[in-house]
């Protein structure tokens, strides 16, 4: 490259850096102006559409590539049991050797220092937030154990409450009481909980139960703790068994079970002539839209830093234009399955009743929640921080999951970390130091990769430095936000033709409940008002 070309290249990098920095600054500052912009009559329709288009850019549906074939095919596009791909396959040269995965995981992922809750370097997010991230993802992220490119769920991106209801009709009917529209539940110590698997033996035949039992990474994680084995009989009979894994995920399943059954009681009072099916389906409609609202308003805004400047509104009525093509199925890209693994969030211990206890001791332990009660567990989860996201911070018992992700990325021939930076409109890193200036991270990357362009997608995602006041590094944040936004807002029940009939879908009672629901009001319908409920730690 001659000097003049080099100057142009440097100038282009500077201009792109400035452009990226400008939009990041715009979306995380000017709180008063954003409030006026998003809430002024006559202006809010256009401003909200602008915001939605901006956040959702980067995920253009449908994705042409899928994991069924290494090239574009009608068959692959039509077969929704396979993941989409944000970039096509990138096979390595025949003589290329990947770094040894065990050493790679040890050097770049293993937590080097005991998690310290007193530092709060996690940007003040609580374990209730971490639990929601896990619970929400379990609804549509599950890889078929027999094929890394297929989803264990179908369709692959329906953002509903199937973690509670089940993902197939047979499972749903097993979980229904078939009376008053309600789900089966039990009373323990005066509180409502799901049934145990031992009380619903039919649930063992469900596809998701079978997939759960075949998840080698799950059982490897448990084998790395003092628990040894999972007693599946004592797990809650949720629609997705995996949400029994942590108290943080369990509480969301319990709350939505209670919410569904409470809605059925309220609808029965208003419409006494409705049968079980009508009550069940309407309550499920309402719970699904409540979940969608929480994801848009509270969850996405938290993980991309927009909460610093605004409350993202839930306004499906503004979704028009080529970005919002509701005829396409918004299946999850396989890259999103890989990036949505926030293992470094998990602390070594959590505090309960002023005592520190190992997190590993409460994995797959519904009895822990039952023993202490939902109120106390939610309160403590809201007061205890997640750990900072990033390299060299995965607890030892989750290393098998990290190893499994890296190996799956290699089987799928995922493109490199730098390729995905370019795909998302970011600058390619020119050195390991540009990924993360931390000397220990740079040393680990140097040890395993000859060039910055060799760094694998998942390794680079985790190794990248997290910006100030953010939860995630830039690449992960951009990929996470745009796909999450599109997955939620392109759900068919939010299409203009359906949304304008929401009073018919939810009934006036459900529309009012949706409009009035926040995370706090959802929980306070089912826990005591003195319970602290928040994605953020107390100030």
């Amino acid at each position: 490259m001659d000097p003049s070309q080099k100057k142009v290249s440097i100038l282009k990098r500077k201009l792109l850096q400035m452009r990226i920095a400008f939009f990041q600054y715009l979306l995380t500052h000017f709180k008063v102006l954003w409030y006026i912009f998003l809430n002024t009559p006559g202006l809010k329709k256009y401003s909200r559409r602008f915001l939605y288009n901006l956040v959702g850019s980067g995920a253009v549906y449908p994705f042409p590539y899928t994991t069924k074939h290494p090239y574009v095919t009608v068959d692959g596009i039509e077969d929704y049991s396979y993941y989409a791909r944000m970039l096509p396959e990138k096979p390595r040269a025949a003589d290329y050797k990947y770094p040894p995965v065990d050493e790679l995981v040890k050097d770049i992922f293993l937590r080097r220092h005991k998690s310290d809750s007193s530092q709060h370097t996690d940007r003040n997010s609580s374990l209730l937030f971490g639990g929601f991230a896990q619970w929400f993802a379990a609804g549509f992220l599950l890889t078929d154990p027999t094929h890394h490119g297929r989803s264990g769920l179908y369709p692959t991106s329906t953002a509903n409450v199937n973690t509670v209801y089940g993902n197939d009709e047979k499972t749903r009917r097993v979980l229904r009481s078939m009376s008053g529209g309600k789900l089966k539940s039990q009373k323990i110590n005066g509180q409502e909980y799901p049934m145990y698997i031992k009380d619903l033996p039919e649930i063992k035949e469900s596809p998701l139960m079978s997939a759960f039992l075949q998840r080698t990474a799950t059982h490897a994680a448990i084998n790395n703790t003092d628990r040894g084995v999972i007693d599946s009989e004592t797990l809650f009979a949720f629609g997705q068994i995996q949400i029994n894994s942590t108290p943080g995920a369990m509480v969301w399943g319990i709350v939505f079970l209670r919410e569904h059954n409470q809605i059925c009681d309220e609808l029965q009072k208003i419409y006494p002539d409705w049968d079980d099916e009508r009550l069940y389906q309407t309550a499920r409609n309402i719970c699904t839209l409540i979940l969608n609202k929480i994801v848009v308003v509270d969850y996405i805004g938290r993980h991309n830093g927009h909460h610093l400047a605004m409350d993202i509104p839930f306004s499906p009525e503004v979704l028009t234009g080529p970005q919002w093509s509701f005829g396409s199925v918004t299946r999850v890209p396989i890259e999103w399955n890989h990036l949505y693994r926030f293992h470094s969030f998990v602390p070594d211990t959590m505090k309960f009743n002023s005592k520190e206890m190992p997190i590993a001791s409460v994995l797959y332990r519904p009895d822990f929640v039952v023993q202490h009660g939902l109120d106390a567990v939610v309160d403590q989860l809201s007061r205890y921080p997640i750990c900072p996201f990033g390299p060299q911070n995965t607890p030892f018992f989750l290393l098998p999951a990290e190893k499994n992700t890296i190996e799956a990325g290699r089987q799928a021939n995922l493109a490199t970390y730098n390729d995905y930076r370019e795909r998302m409109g970011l600058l390619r890193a020119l050195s390991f130091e540009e990924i993360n200036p931390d000397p220990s991270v740079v040393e680990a990357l140097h040890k395993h990769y000859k060039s910055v362009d060799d760094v694998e997608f998942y390794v680079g995602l985790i190794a990248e430095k997290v910006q100030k006041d953010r939860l995630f590094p830039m690449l992960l944040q951009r990929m996470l936000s745009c796909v999450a936004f599109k997955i939620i807002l392109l759900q068919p029940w939010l299409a203009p033709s359906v949304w304008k009939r929401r009073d018919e879908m939810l009934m006036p009672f459900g529309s009012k409940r949706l409009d009035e629901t926040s995370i706090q009001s959802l929980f306070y319908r089912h826990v005591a008002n003195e319970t602290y409920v928040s994605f953020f730690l107390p100030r």
Side-chain angles (χ1 to χ4, degrees):
M1 183 183 294
D2 63 47
S4 62
Q5 287 179 317
K6 189 172 182 180
K7 286 183 180 179
V8 171
S9 178
I10 293 172
L11 179 60
K12 283 183 177 180
R13 285 180 64 86
K14 291 289 185 184
L15 290 174
L16 183 55
Q17 281 178 329
M18 291 171 62
R19 179 175 175 271
I20 294 168
F22 169 75
F23 280 110
Q24 289 298 314
Y25 192 83
L26 177 67
L27 289 167
T28 54
H29 292 77
F30 313 112
K31 196 161 191 171
V32 174
L33 291 178
W34 272 112
Y35 180 84
I36 295 170
F37 196 44
L38 295 172
N39 294 282
T40 302
L43 183 62
K44 66 180 182 180
K45 176 181 177 181
Y46 303 100
S47 60
R48 292 181 180 194
R49 184 180 300 159
F50 165 78
L51 177 62
Y52 280 17
N53 288 341
L54 187 61
V55 177
S57 63
V60 181
Y61 279 96
F63 290 108
Y65 299 102
T66 73
T67 53
K68 189 166 188 177
H69 300 108
Y71 39 83
V72 179
T73 65
V74 171
D75 185 39
I77 292 173
E78 286 185 341
D79 191 341
Y80 300 122
S81 67
Y82 285 83
Y83 287 109
R85 301 182 74 116
M86 297 184 78
L87 282 177
E89 282 194 29
K90 187 177 183 178
R92 305 315 191 260
D95 59 348
Y96 181 81
K97 291 185 179 180
Y98 284 108
V101 69
D102 289 318
E103 290 184 35
L104 186 65
V105 166
K106 180 181 177 182
D107 293 339
I108 294 181
F109 292 87
L110 177 62
R111 178 169 288 154
R112 296 198 170 188
H113 305 286
K114 186 178 183 298
S115 59
D116 184 0
S117 63
S118 65
Q119 294 182 5
H120 290 181
T121 51
D122 63 295
R123 284 77 179 167
N124 294 320
S125 292
S126 71
L127 281 177
L128 189 69
F129 169 82
F132 180 85
Q134 180 190 5
W135 175 77
F136 174 56
F140 50 87
L141 289 182
L142 181 66
T143 299
D144 186 332
T146 66
H147 191 299
H148 69 268
R150 291 191 75 161
S151 172
L153 300 168
Y154 174 77
T156 59
S157 63
T158 305
N160 55 29
V161 195
N162 61 21
T163 45
V164 176
Y165 296 112
N167 201 60
D168 62 281
E169 189 57 33
K170 183 177 179 180
T171 302
R172 291 184 189 123
R173 295 195 73 81
V174 169
L175 294 173
R176 288 174 62 174
S177 70
M178 309 308 291
S179 175
K182 292 186 175 183
L183 298 168
K184 290 175 182 173
S185 64
Q186 58 179 322
K187 285 291 181 72
I188 307 176
N189 299 327
Q191 294 194 9
E192 187 177 25
Y193 293 99
M195 303 294 289
Y196 292 121
I197 286 178
K198 65 182 179 182
D199 300 317
L200 295 178
E202 309 100 305
I203 203 74
K204 297 176 186 177
E205 301 174 8
S206 73
L208 290 187
M209 183 67 180
S210 175
F212 167 74
L213 293 173
Q214 293 181 57
R215 290 191 68 177
T216 55
T218 295
H219 298 283
I222 291 296
N223 289 336
N224 269 4
T225 72
D226 57 2
R227 292 286 314 285
V229 296
I230 302 172
D231 182 2
S232 61
E233 293 288 302
T234 63
L235 300 180
F236 284 138
F238 287 121
Q240 202 348 341
I241 306 302
Q242 186 65 18
I243 66 172
N244 280 278
S245 57
T246 66
M250 264 185 279
V251 298
W252 286 95
I254 295 166
V255 161
F256 269 91
L257 170 87
R258 295 183 183 182
E259 178 76 354
H260 175 95
N261 286 350
Q262 187 184 92
I263 289 171
C264 287
D265 286 336
E266 296 297 325
L267 289 172
Q268 184 79 81
K269 293 175 186 175
I270 302 170
Y271 308 103
D273 58 332
W274 277 14
D275 62 10
D276 170 76
E277 183 71 10
R278 184 72 188 272
L279 291 167
Y280 170 83
Q281 295 295 352
T282 305
R284 186 178 169 204
N285 292 348
I286 296 168
C287 286
T288 297
L289 270 293
I290 285 174
L291 169 63
N292 288 187
K293 180 182 179 182
I294 288 173
V295 172
V296 171
V297 175
D298 299 285
Y299 181 59
I300 293 176
R302 174 66 193 104
H303 67 52
N304 63 16
H306 295 173
H307 70 287
L308 298 170
M310 71 189 83
D311 295 321
I312 296 179
F314 185 61
S315 301
E317 65 276 2
V318 306
L319 300 176
T320 60
Q323 275 214 52
W324 307 101
S325 51
F326 285 93
S328 61
V329 176
T330 54
R331 63 174 132 188
V332 171
I334 191 170
E335 296 92 344
W336 213 67
N337 185 327
H338 287 218
L339 67 83
Y340 206 121
R341 297 166 191 249
F342 310 151
H343 299 141
S344 54
F345 278 176
V346 180
D348 298 314
T349 62
M350 67 174 286
K351 186 173 289 187
F352 203 88
N353 293 336
S354 301
K355 295 182 179 179
E356 293 280 343
M357 58 188 300
I359 282 285
S361 69
V362 295
L363 299 179
Y364 295 97
R365 287 277 307 278
D367 62 301
F368 173 80
V369 179
V370 170
Q371 176 188 348
H372 295 284
L374 188 65
D375 302 39
V377 174
V378 169
D379 185 272
Q380 293 296 297
L381 290 173
S382 299
R383 296 178 185 277
Y384 203 83
I386 59 173
C387 285
F389 186 89
Q392 300 173 343
N393 202 27
T394 296
F396 74 95
F397 58 86
L398 287 176
L399 291 182
E402 305 286 35
K403 178 180 176 181
N404 183 65
T405 305
I406 294 170
E407 290 175 335
R410 293 174 180 181
Q411 291 175 25
N413 285 323
L414 291 184
T416 66
Y417 164 75
N418 254 344
D419 292 335
Y420 284 99
R421 285 189 64 85
E422 188 172 20
R423 163 67 177 80
M424 298 308 299
L426 301 174
L427 293 167
R428 295 180 72 93
L430 299 180
S431 66
F432 296 125
E433 286 80 5
E434 285 193 12
I435 297 177
N436 194 322
D438 186 313
S440 65
V441 177
V442 172
E443 180 183 358
L445 291 171
H446 264 297
K447 175 181 175 181
H448 293 285
Y449 298 102
K450 293 180 180 179
S451 161
V452 68
D453 285 321
D454 290 332
V455 176
E456 295 165 80
F457 170 61
Y458 185 63
V459 174
L461 276 180
I462 305 303
E464 187 180 326
K465 178 180 172 61
V466 178
Q467 295 174 296
K468 182 182 178 182
D469 296 326
R470 299 299 172 82
L471 199 59
F472 297 112
M474 179 67 80
L475 177 58
L476 192 150
Q477 172 198 305
R478 287 173 75 91
M479 296 182 73
L480 181 66
S481 296
C482 71
V483 174
F485 217 60
K486 284 295 183 66
I487 284 175
I488 289 295
L489 292 176
L490 282 176
Q491 296 302 312
W493 45 82
L494 298 183
S497 59
V498 180
W499 182 250
K500 68 183 180 183
R501 294 179 174 82
R502 73 171 189 153
D503 277 357
E504 184 179 336
M505 179 170 60
L506 308 179
M507 306 309 293
F509 163 80
S511 292
K512 184 173 185 290
R513 196 175 184 99
L514 174 66
D515 290 340
E516 294 176 350
T517 291
S518 62
I519 291 173
Q520 285 74 23
S521 65
L522 170 65
F523 273 85
Y524 288 145
R525 291 196 280 265
H526 310 289
V527 300
N529 286 342
E530 60 268 21
T531 305
Y532 180 65
V533 178
S534 182
F535 279 171
F536 298 92
L537 302 175
R539 291 189 180 276

